[in-house]
Coordinates of all heavy atoms in Angstrom, one line a residue:
M1 N 7.3 -14.4 -13.9 CA 6.6 -13.5 -14.9 C 7.5 -13.1 -16.0 O 8.7 -12.9 -15.8 CB 6.1 -12.3 -14.1 CG 5.3 -11.3 -14.9 SD 4.8 -9.9 -14.0 CE 3.0 -10.0 -14.2
N2 N 6.9 -13.1 -17.2 CA 7.6 -12.7 -18.4 C 8.2 -11.3 -18.2 O 7.4 -10.4 -17.8 CB 6.7 -12.8 -19.6 CG 7.3 -12.6 -20.9 OD1 8.5 -12.3 -21.0 ND2 6.6 -12.8 -21.9
P3 N 9.4 -11.0 -18.6 CA 10.0 -9.7 -18.4 C 9.2 -8.6 -19.2 O 9.1 -7.5 -18.7 CB 11.4 -9.8 -18.9 CG 11.8 -11.3 -18.8 CD 10.5 -12.0 -19.0
Q4 N 8.7 -9.0 -20.4 CA 8.0 -8.0 -21.1 C 6.6 -7.6 -20.5 O 6.2 -6.5 -20.4 CB 7.7 -8.5 -22.5 CG 9.0 -8.5 -23.4 CD 8.7 -9.0 -24.8 OE1 7.8 -9.8 -25.0 NE2 9.5 -8.5 -25.7
K5 N 6.0 -8.7 -19.9 CA 4.7 -8.4 -19.2 C 5.0 -7.6 -17.9 O 4.2 -6.7 -17.6 CB 4.0 -9.7 -18.9 CG 3.5 -10.4 -20.1 CD 2.7 -11.7 -19.7 CE 2.2 -12.4 -20.9 NZ 1.5 -13.6 -20.6
R6 N 6.1 -7.9 -17.3 CA 6.5 -7.1 -16.1 C 6.7 -5.7 -16.4 O 6.3 -4.7 -15.7 CB 7.7 -7.7 -15.4 CG 8.0 -7.1 -14.1 CD 9.3 -7.6 -13.4 NE 9.2 -9.1 -13.4 CZ 10.3 -9.8 -13.7 NH1 11.5 -9.3 -14.0 NH2 10.2 -11.1 -13.6
S7 N 7.4 -5.4 -17.5 CA 7.7 -4.1 -18.0 C 6.4 -3.3 -18.3 O 6.2 -2.1 -18.0 CB 8.6 -4.1 -19.2 OG 8.8 -2.8 -19.7
I8 N 5.4 -4.0 -18.9 CA 4.1 -3.4 -19.3 C 3.4 -3.0 -18.0 O 2.8 -2.0 -17.8 CB 3.3 -4.3 -20.2 CG1 4.0 -4.3 -21.6 CG2 1.9 -3.8 -20.3 CD1 3.3 -5.3 -22.5
A9 N 3.4 -3.9 -17.0 CA 2.8 -3.7 -15.7 C 3.4 -2.5 -15.0 O 2.7 -1.7 -14.4 CB 2.8 -5.0 -14.8
I10 N 4.7 -2.4 -15.0 CA 5.4 -1.3 -14.3 C 5.0 0.0 -15.0 O 4.8 1.0 -14.4 CB 6.9 -1.6 -14.2 CG1 7.2 -2.7 -13.3 CG2 7.6 -0.3 -13.8 CD1 8.6 -3.2 -13.3
T11 N 5.0 0.0 -16.3 CA 4.7 1.2 -17.1 C 3.3 1.6 -16.8 O 3.0 2.8 -16.7 CB 4.9 1.0 -18.6 OG1 6.2 0.4 -18.8 CG2 4.8 2.2 -19.4
A12 N 2.4 0.7 -16.8 CA 1.0 1.0 -16.5 C 0.8 1.6 -15.1 O 0.1 2.6 -14.9 CB 0.1 -0.3 -16.6
F13 N 1.6 1.1 -14.1 CA 1.6 1.7 -12.8 C 2.1 3.1 -12.8 O 1.5 4.0 -12.1 CB 2.4 0.8 -11.8 CG 2.4 1.2 -10.4 CD1 1.3 1.2 -9.6 CD2 3.6 1.8 -9.9 CE1 1.3 1.6 -8.3 CE2 3.6 2.2 -8.6 CZ 2.5 2.2 -7.8
V14 N 3.1 3.3 -13.5 CA 3.7 4.7 -13.6 C 2.7 5.6 -14.3 O 2.5 6.8 -13.8 CB 5.0 4.7 -14.4 CG1 5.5 6.1 -14.7 CG2 6.1 4.0 -13.6
I15 N 2.0 5.2 -15.3 CA 1.0 6.0 -16.0 C -0.2 6.4 -15.0 O -0.6 7.5 -15.0 CB 0.5 5.3 -17.3 CG1 1.6 5.3 -18.3 CG2 -0.8 6.0 -17.8 CD1 1.3 4.5 -19.6
I16 N -0.6 5.4 -14.2 CA -1.7 5.6 -13.3 C -1.2 6.7 -12.3 O -2.0 7.6 -11.9 CB -2.1 4.3 -12.6 CG1 -2.8 3.4 -13.6 CG2 -3.0 4.6 -11.4 CD1 -3.1 2.0 -13.1
L17 N 0.0 6.5 -11.7 CA 0.5 7.5 -10.8 C 0.6 8.9 -11.4 O 0.2 9.9 -10.7 CB 1.9 7.1 -10.3 CG 1.9 6.0 -9.2 CD1 3.4 5.6 -8.9 CD2 1.2 6.3 -8.0
L18 N 1.1 9.0 -12.6 CA 1.3 10.3 -13.2 C -0.1 10.9 -13.5 O -0.3 12.2 -13.4 CB 2.1 10.2 -14.5 CG 3.6 9.9 -14.3 CD1 4.3 9.6 -15.6 CD2 4.2 11.2 -13.7
S19 N -1.0 10.1 -13.9 CA -2.4 10.6 -14.2 C -3.0 11.2 -12.9 O -3.7 12.2 -12.9 CB -3.3 9.5 -14.8 OG -2.8 9.1 -16.0
A20 N -2.8 10.5 -11.8 CA -3.4 10.9 -10.6 C -2.7 12.2 -10.2 O -3.4 13.2 -9.6 CB -3.2 9.9 -9.5
N21 N -1.4 12.3 -10.4 CA -0.7 13.6 -10.1 C -1.2 14.7 -10.9 O -1.3 15.8 -10.4 CB 0.8 13.3 -10.2 CG 1.6 14.5 -9.8 OD1 1.2 15.3 -8.9 ND2 2.7 14.8 -10.5
L22 N -1.4 14.5 -12.2 CA -1.9 15.5 -13.1 C -3.2 16.0 -12.7 O -3.5 17.2 -12.7 CB -1.8 15.0 -14.5 CG -2.2 16.1 -15.6 CD1 -1.1 17.2 -15.6 CD2 -2.3 15.4 -17.0
T23 N -4.1 15.1 -12.3 CA -5.5 15.6 -11.9 C -5.5 16.3 -10.6 O -6.4 17.1 -10.3 CB -6.4 14.4 -11.8 OG1 -5.9 13.4 -10.9 CG2 -6.6 13.7 -13.2
R24 N -4.5 16.1 -9.8 CA -4.4 16.7 -8.5 C -3.8 18.1 -8.6 O -4.1 19.0 -7.7 CB -3.4 15.9 -7.6 CG -3.4 16.2 -6.1 CD -2.6 15.3 -5.4 NE -1.2 15.3 -5.9 CZ -0.2 16.1 -5.4 NH1 -0.5 16.9 -4.5 NH2 1.0 16.0 -5.9
L25 N -3.2 18.5 -9.6 CA -2.6 19.8 -9.8 C -3.7 20.9 -10.0 O -4.6 20.6 -10.7 CB -1.6 19.9 -11.0 CG -0.3 19.1 -10.8 CD1 0.4 19.1 -12.2 CD2 0.5 19.6 -9.7
K26 N -3.5 22.0 -9.3 CA -4.5 23.0 -9.4 C -3.9 24.2 -10.2 O -2.7 24.3 -10.4 CB -4.9 23.5 -8.0 CG -5.4 22.5 -7.1 CD -6.9 22.3 -7.2 CE -7.4 21.4 -6.1 NZ -8.5 20.6 -6.5
G27 N -4.8 25.1 -10.6 CA -4.3 26.3 -11.2 C -4.0 26.1 -12.7 O -2.8 26.4 -13.1
T28 N -4.9 25.6 -13.5 CA -4.6 25.4 -14.9 C -4.6 26.7 -15.7 O -4.2 26.7 -16.9 CB -5.6 24.5 -15.5 OG1 -6.9 25.0 -15.3 CG2 -5.5 23.1 -14.9
E29 N -5.0 27.8 -15.1 CA -4.9 29.1 -15.8 C -3.5 29.6 -16.0 O -3.2 30.3 -16.9 CB -5.8 30.2 -15.2 CG -5.4 30.6 -13.8 CD -5.9 29.7 -12.7 OE1 -6.7 28.8 -13.0 OE2 -5.6 29.9 -11.5
N30 N -2.6 29.3 -15.0 CA -1.2 29.6 -15.1 C -0.4 28.3 -15.2 O -0.4 27.5 -14.3 CB -0.8 30.3 -13.8 CG -1.4 31.7 -13.7 OD1 -1.7 32.3 -14.7 ND2 -1.6 32.1 -12.5
I31 N 0.2 28.1 -16.3 CA 1.0 26.9 -16.6 C 2.3 27.0 -15.9 O 3.1 27.9 -16.1 CB 1.2 26.6 -18.1 CG1 -0.2 26.4 -18.7 CG2 2.0 25.4 -18.3 CD1 -0.2 26.2 -20.2
R32 N 2.6 26.1 -14.9 CA 3.8 26.1 -14.2 C 4.7 25.0 -14.7 O 4.3 24.2 -15.5 CB 3.5 25.9 -12.7 CG 2.7 27.0 -12.1 CD 2.4 26.7 -10.6 NE 1.7 25.5 -10.5 CZ 1.6 24.8 -9.3 NH1 2.1 25.4 -8.2 NH2 0.9 23.7 -9.2
P33 N 6.0 25.1 -14.4 CA 7.0 24.1 -14.9 C 6.6 22.6 -14.5 O 6.9 21.7 -15.3 CB 8.3 24.5 -14.3 CG 8.2 25.9 -14.0 CD 6.7 26.2 -13.7
I34 N 5.9 22.5 -13.4 CA 5.5 21.1 -13.0 C 4.5 20.5 -14.0 O 4.5 19.3 -14.2 CB 5.0 21.1 -11.5 CG1 4.8 19.7 -11.0 CG2 3.7 21.8 -11.4 CD1 6.1 18.9 -10.9
H35 N 3.7 21.4 -14.6 CA 2.7 20.9 -15.6 C 3.5 20.3 -16.8 O 3.2 19.3 -17.3 CB 1.8 22.0 -16.0 CG 0.8 22.4 -15.0 ND1 1.0 23.7 -14.3 CD2 -0.2 21.8 -14.4 CE1 0.0 23.8 -13.5 NE2 -0.7 22.7 -13.5
F36 N 4.5 21.1 -17.2 CA 5.3 20.6 -18.4 C 6.0 19.3 -18.0 O 6.0 18.3 -18.8 CB 6.4 21.6 -18.8 CG 5.8 22.8 -19.5 CD1 6.0 24.1 -18.9 CD2 5.2 22.7 -20.7 CE1 5.4 25.2 -19.5 CE2 4.7 23.8 -21.3 CZ 4.8 25.1 -20.8
V37 N 6.6 19.2 -16.9 CA 7.3 18.0 -16.5 C 6.4 16.8 -16.4 O 6.7 15.7 -16.9 CB 8.1 18.2 -15.1 CG1 8.6 16.9 -14.6 CG2 9.1 19.2 -15.3
T38 N 5.2 17.0 -15.8 CA 4.2 15.9 -15.7 C 3.7 15.5 -17.1 O 3.7 14.3 -17.4 CB 3.1 16.4 -14.8 OG1 3.6 16.8 -13.6 CG2 2.1 15.2 -14.6
L39 N 3.4 16.4 -18.0 CA 2.9 16.0 -19.3 C 4.0 15.3 -20.1 O 3.7 14.4 -20.8 CB 2.4 17.3 -20.0 CG 1.1 17.8 -19.5 CD1 0.7 19.1 -20.2 CD2 0.0 16.8 -19.7
I40 N 5.2 15.8 -20.1 CA 6.3 15.2 -20.8 C 6.6 13.8 -20.3 O 6.7 12.8 -21.1 CB 7.6 16.1 -20.8 CG1 7.4 17.3 -21.6 CG2 8.8 15.3 -21.3 CD1 8.5 18.4 -21.5
T41 N 6.6 13.6 -19.0 CA 6.8 12.3 -18.4 C 5.7 11.3 -18.7 O 5.9 10.2 -19.0 CB 7.0 12.4 -16.9 OG1 8.0 13.4 -16.6 CG2 7.5 11.1 -16.3
L42 N 4.5 11.8 -18.7 CA 3.3 11.0 -19.0 C 3.3 10.6 -20.5 O 3.1 9.4 -20.8 CB 2.0 11.8 -18.7 CG 0.7 11.1 -18.8 CD1 0.7 9.9 -17.9 CD2 -0.4 12.0 -18.5
G43 N 3.7 11.5 -21.4 CA 3.9 11.1 -22.8 C 5.0 10.1 -23.0 O 4.8 9.2 -23.8
A44 N 6.1 10.2 -22.3 CA 7.1 9.3 -22.5 C 6.7 7.9 -21.9 O 7.0 6.9 -22.5 CB 8.4 9.7 -21.7
A45 N 6.0 7.9 -20.9 CA 5.5 6.6 -20.3 C 4.5 5.9 -21.3 O 4.6 4.7 -21.5 CB 4.8 6.8 -19.0
F46 N 3.6 6.7 -21.9 CA 2.8 6.1 -23.0 C 3.6 5.6 -24.1 O 3.2 4.5 -24.7 CB 1.7 7.2 -23.5 CG 0.5 7.2 -22.6 CD1 0.2 8.4 -22.0 CD2 -0.4 6.2 -22.5 CE1 -1.0 8.5 -21.2 CE2 -1.5 6.2 -21.8 CZ -1.8 7.4 -21.1
G47 N 4.6 6.3 -24.5 CA 5.5 5.8 -25.6 C 6.2 4.5 -25.3 O 6.2 3.6 -26.1
V48 N 6.7 4.4 -24.0 CA 7.3 3.2 -23.6 C 6.4 2.0 -23.6 O 6.7 0.9 -24.0 CB 8.0 3.4 -22.2 CG1 8.4 2.1 -21.6 CG2 9.2 4.3 -22.3
M49 N 5.1 2.3 -23.1 CA 4.1 1.2 -23.0 C 3.8 0.8 -24.4 O 3.6 -0.4 -24.7 CB 2.9 1.7 -22.3 CG 1.8 0.6 -22.1 SD 0.5 1.2 -21.1 CE 0.5 -0.1 -19.9
L50 N 3.6 1.7 -25.4 CA 3.3 1.4 -26.7 C 4.4 0.5 -27.4 O 4.1 -0.5 -28.0 CB 3.1 2.7 -27.6 CG 2.6 2.5 -29.0 CD1 1.2 1.8 -29.0 CD2 2.6 3.8 -29.7
V51 N 5.6 0.9 -27.2 CA 6.7 0.1 -27.7 C 6.7 -1.3 -27.1 O 6.9 -2.3 -27.8 CB 8.1 0.8 -27.5 CG1 9.2 -0.1 -27.7 CG2 8.2 2.0 -28.3
N52 N 6.5 -1.4 -25.8 CA 6.5 -2.7 -25.1 C 5.3 -3.6 -25.7 O 5.5 -4.8 -25.8 CB 6.4 -2.6 -23.6 CG 7.6 -2.1 -23.0 OD1 8.7 -2.5 -23.5 ND2 7.6 -1.4 -21.9
I53 N 4.2 -3.0 -25.9 CA 3.1 -3.8 -26.4 C 3.4 -4.3 -27.9 O 3.1 -5.4 -28.2 CB 1.8 -2.9 -26.4 CG1 1.3 -2.8 -24.9 CG2 0.6 -3.6 -27.2 CD1 0.2 -1.8 -24.7
I54 N 3.9 -3.4 -28.7 CA 4.3 -3.8 -30.0 C 5.3 -4.9 -30.0 O 5.2 -5.9 -30.8 CB 4.8 -2.6 -30.8 CG1 3.6 -1.6 -31.1 CG2 5.5 -3.0 -32.1 CD1 4.1 -0.3 -31.7
M55 N 6.3 -4.8 -29.2 CA 7.3 -5.9 -29.1 C 6.7 -7.2 -28.6 O 7.1 -8.3 -29.1 CB 8.5 -5.5 -28.1 CG 9.4 -4.4 -28.7 SD 10.6 -3.8 -27.6 CE 11.3 -5.3 -27.0
L56 N 5.8 -7.1 -27.7 CA 5.1 -8.3 -27.2 C 4.3 -9.0 -28.3 O 4.3 -10.2 -28.4 CB 4.2 -8.0 -26.0 CG 3.5 -9.1 -25.3 CD1 4.5 -10.0 -24.6 CD2 2.5 -8.6 -24.3
I57 N 3.6 -8.2 -29.1 CA 2.8 -8.7 -30.2 C 3.7 -9.4 -31.3 O 3.5 -10.4 -31.8 CB 1.9 -7.6 -30.8 CG1 0.8 -7.3 -29.8 CG2 1.3 -8.1 -32.1 CD1 0.0 -6.1 -30.2
R58 N 4.8 -8.7 -31.6 CA 5.8 -9.2 -32.6 C 6.4 -10.5 -32.1 O 6.6 -11.4 -32.9 CB 6.9 -8.2 -32.9 CG 6.4 -7.1 -33.8 CD 7.6 -6.2 -34.2 NE 7.2 -5.1 -35.0 CZ 7.9 -4.2 -35.4 NH1 9.2 -4.1 -35.0 NH2 7.5 -3.2 -36.2
N59 N 6.7 -10.6 -30.9 CA 7.4 -11.8 -30.3 C 6.4 -13.0 -30.3 O 6.8 -14.2 -30.4 CB 7.9 -11.6 -29.0 CG 9.2 -10.8 -29.0 OD1 9.8 -10.6 -30.0 ND2 9.5 -10.2 -27.9
R60 N 5.1 -12.7 -30.1 CA 4.1 -13.8 -30.2 C 3.9 -14.3 -31.6 O 3.6 -15.5 -31.8 CB 2.8 -13.3 -29.6 CG 2.8 -13.2 -28.1 CD 1.4 -13.0 -27.6 NE 1.5 -12.9 -26.1 CZ 0.4 -12.6 -25.4 NH1 -0.8 -12.5 -25.9 NH2 0.5 -12.6 -24.1
K61 N 3.9 -13.4 -32.6 CA 3.7 -13.9 -34.0 C 4.9 -14.6 -34.5 O 4.8 -15.5 -35.4 CB 3.5 -12.6 -34.9 CG 2.1 -12.0 -34.6 CD 1.9 -10.9 -35.6 CE 0.5 -10.3 -35.4 NZ 0.3 -9.2 -36.3
G62 N 6.1 -14.3 -34.0 CA 7.3 -14.9 -34.6 C 7.7 -16.2 -34.1 O 7.4 -17.1 -33.6

């Protein structure tokens, strides 16, 4: 498997896990530190996936 495609697959798996964890958290009226950690990590995972997709597209064109 192409390392870039493997990286995208791993990132997608992490995003799915983090999304499931975020939906499982209760008590949205009081924001706890775990909410911040989950949201920051989820945003970072989306950023990594976006960069990997852009690199994959650029390498195909070149």
Side-chain angles (χ1 to χ4, degrees):
M1 181 180 237
N2 187 355
Q4 287 181 333
K5 289 182 182 179
R6 185 180 314 137
S7 175
I8 292 173
I10 291 171
T11 308
F13 181 70
V14 169
I15 289 173
I16 290 169
L17 284 176
L18 288 171
S19 297
N21 184 32
L22 186 65
T23 59
R24 192 177 57 90
L25 292 174
K26 302 274 187 211
T28 56
E29 65 275 355
N30 294 329
I31 298 177
R32 296 181 300 165
I34 191 66
H35 292 109
F36 286 119
V37 171
T38 303
L39 286 174
I40 289 171
T41 310
L42 189 59
F46 273 117
V48 168
M49 182 175 236
L50 183 64
V51 167
N52 284 330
I53 291 172
I54 290 171
M55 286 175 51
L56 184 67
I57 291 171
R58 282 187 182 173
N59 288 340
R60 284 191 181 179
K61 287 184 180 180

